[in-house]
Amino acid sequence: MKLRWMAPIFVMALGLPAQTAKNSCVECHAALEGDLARPAELFANDIHGKNGFSCVACHGGDPSSDDPEVAMSRGRGFLGKIDRRSVPARCARCHSDANLIHRFKPQQRVDQLAQYQTSVHGQRLAAGDVKVANCIDCHSVHDIREVSDPLSPVYPLRLPETCARCHADAAHMQGYRIPTDQFEKYRKSVHWEALAQRGDLSAPNCATCHGNHGAAPPGVASVAMVCGSCHVVFENLFVKSPHKKAFDNMGLAGCVVCHSNHDVEKPTLALVGVQPGAVCLNCHAKGDKGYEAAMQMRSRLEQLAASLGRSDDILKMAESSGMEVSEARLGLGTANESLVKAEVDLHSFDPAMVDGAVAKGLEVAQSSYRAGQKALEERDYRRKGLALSLVTIVVTMAGLWLAVRELDNRRKKSS
Amino acid sequence: MPNHEPVSRRRNLIQALLGAGFGASFLSFLYPALKFMMPPKVAESAANQVSAGKAADLKPNSARIFRFGSRPAILVRTPEGEWRAFSAVCTHLNCTVQYNDQTHRIWCACHNGQFDLKGKVVGGPPPRPLEEYVVHVQGDEVVVARS
Amino acid sequence: MLRRALNWLADRAGVDSIRSFLAHKTVPIHSATIWYYFGGITLFLFVIQVLTGMLLLLYYRPTPNEAFETVQFIITRVQFGWLVRSVHSWSGNLMVLSAMIHMFSVFFLRSYRQPRELIWLSGMVLLFLTLMFGFSGYLLPWNTLAFFATKVGTDMAGLVPVAGSFLRRFLRGGDEVTGATLTRFFGFHVAVLPGLTTLLLLFHLALVQKWGMSSRQRSGEPVSTMPFFPNFVLRELIAWYGALGVLGTLAALFPWELGTKADPFASAPAGIRPEWYFLAVFYTLKLIPSKVLFMDGEVVGIVVFGLAAAGWMLIPFWDRQPEEAEQHRLLTGVGAFVIAYLVVFSVLGYWR
């Protein structure tokens, strides 16, 4: 509250026209139609408006006058529509000023303009290309919301679509000689699934890898770094693996060689090995050491996966006949984890390391299989018990029936 | 007279059949019921709290995985000797976490998720903190309960 | 010595009078005698419920934190716990079924007619109590399905005009289905309902003894009978053993599922439906449009069901003909319609 009350004072200190009780911009524009009215409507939701800034903070002019000639005169500092090339600088007047910004958000960074100038967008804009994105293309304009506001176009869940507005538009991207299928591919990826389906806001979107204000594609050398910022274990293993050097020599970019970039799909065992479709075959051929290793690792992983499948099947069978096997399920969970670990260890591309994790998992999977077998034995034991008691029941029923018949016969005779 | 003989034999047969049937069926109901009443080996259901083992078995700056209900949990003894317990299921992809005595963090080997000793995420992909449990030390026994 | 002790016991306990009573009691024989067994089967299942219920009480604890786990404990750790729990669940369901068969057989055999009005009335109340047993027992394992079914069920009780909101609060022990509901349902299930049922059952049986079994006798036709003891009792025993065999087979081959533990904060899973004996009512209420004339559709539904149940209960007072007169065609039609309705709507409710 205090800040809001003080805001106009800071604005005045900056030499900007302060928000006054009167705002003829909104008054007139709200009465107009179409495009001229929209900014006035939208501004109600704008974070700047909520913090005490008004139209004049960006556009200049004099909101205290009802006369359009006066209010929008160059003499009163009116700028009109901000030129696309000068938008970043316009925003940065405040957003690069730590003193001002930190009054409102003490943790907010103030290097956005500097970053932007290093980005492909910023560099092209400086070179005179007005088609590239500037601040308002991503953050929208007149209804700029905080990034943490789910309605903001740069909220993690909405960011990919925002980037795709230009990057998936073939007409717009004509002449830049880059693909326009990134969004389509991204939507097939595990990252999109984590973000959109599971609602995990920490899952990577475009900006996580490419940066936001300093948006640039990571180069060949830095791809492993980008992926490794989350997938640390994989990066550590990869860096120590024989592939690191080989890839560097060939100018290949780490992770994406096998996993691709935008459409990082959930990796399956089909990726590894020497069967058609396996990525190893892209470089290795029969007879070399890598081919042997790929074959070996694949068969070990498959062995564990199959063992897990068998255990799962028998537990399912036990469950469907009403047996409680939650303990064995818990065990199977740790065996599954061994498979996950083995798949991680795979990135050392060292068969011995994969073997270690697989052996551990096999042991647990087999013990849950035995638990499943025991449960099925228990089920059979129950069925035998049931059969036995059914026999006694049937025998008794037969005895009773004979007794009833005999009674009836006796009664008939006596009557 | 001659036709009385088979009748009484028949009656005897029926009586034997009935007796055996009643006896056997009665036993087959009584047996499970008596067995049911015998206290089982594990006297308590691990519903709300569970014993996580002996206090003496866990030195400071170490941890142990134990079963809590149907999922694994981790009992951590901090370097300062405090007891903490969390769900050991990583919030990223459900791997079981472990304690790293070098970094004094709870760590998930699958994708390097890192949690501090309060269960908060301090690194890696996990989206949420680990669920924390309450630890009571009763004599030599460590008892972990849902809060 | 033993003989003397037995004689003494028989004398002091009045076995003679019981024996002479049994010797005189007879059961009519005719083409529909088979339906007479269902009352006995219901009684038998009730006894099974009491016995297995007592066993379950050795381990069960009625708190939201422990209910599910203790049931899980019973079926995994306690020897034959799976059997006892499964028998209890199955027997409860079979008891509802056999009570309903008993009721319809009495209806179609016109056995409710004077002077047996009170037998019919007490039987109807017993059926209601049986349904309440089912409703309260369903919640006790505290699993997801039961939790939400109880929510829906108590919501329906809340639709009853005037007393509805009180009734709902009373059943739930508060405004929501919580641990308080569980405690209360447990109390109903193991104390209140068994007590009431036992008392009413004695009343019901005493009246059956007083008035004897309705013979379905037509005027002029001679009635053949058999002695109640041992002829009928032995036959009834066969039926009980048969029921036991069915029960054991169901319990052992299709153990009652436990499902997942209820989470009061989770959203209701799809496919929430009550126990099968409430399905017809449940499905009908779902079909009724939200507004009927100026009234709330569901309230109309509840009121109509209430009136129908009351009308059904009071049948001995509508149908005041003497025992031997044929059933009115209209009443037979009503009975057939009720059965058809229950079957069709239960099946629809199950599949939809």
Side-chain angles (χ1 to χ4, degrees), chain A residues 324 327 382-383 408 411, chain C residues 76-77 82 225 231 235:
Chain A
E324 241 282 347
E327 197 127 358
R382 288 179 186 184
R383 296 202 168 157
D408 288 354
R411 232 161 54 88
Chain C
T76 53
R77 296 298 169 93
W82 61 274
T225 60
N231 299 47
R235 284 184 163 86

Side-chain angles (χ1 to χ4, degrees), chain A residues 4 19 23 26 30 37-55 141-146 149 151:
Chain A
R4 251 180 228 184
Q19 185 199 34
N23 188 342
V26 172
R38 274 183 65 76
E41 287 163 22
L42 291 174
F43 199 64
N45 294 316
D46 196 292
I47 179 73
H48 300 105
K50 287 177 182 162
N51 279 308
F53 294 90
S54 77
C55 318
V141 68
H142 298 137
D143 62 341
I144 301 174
R145 295 162 192 266
E146 273 191 285
D149 183 335
L151 290 175

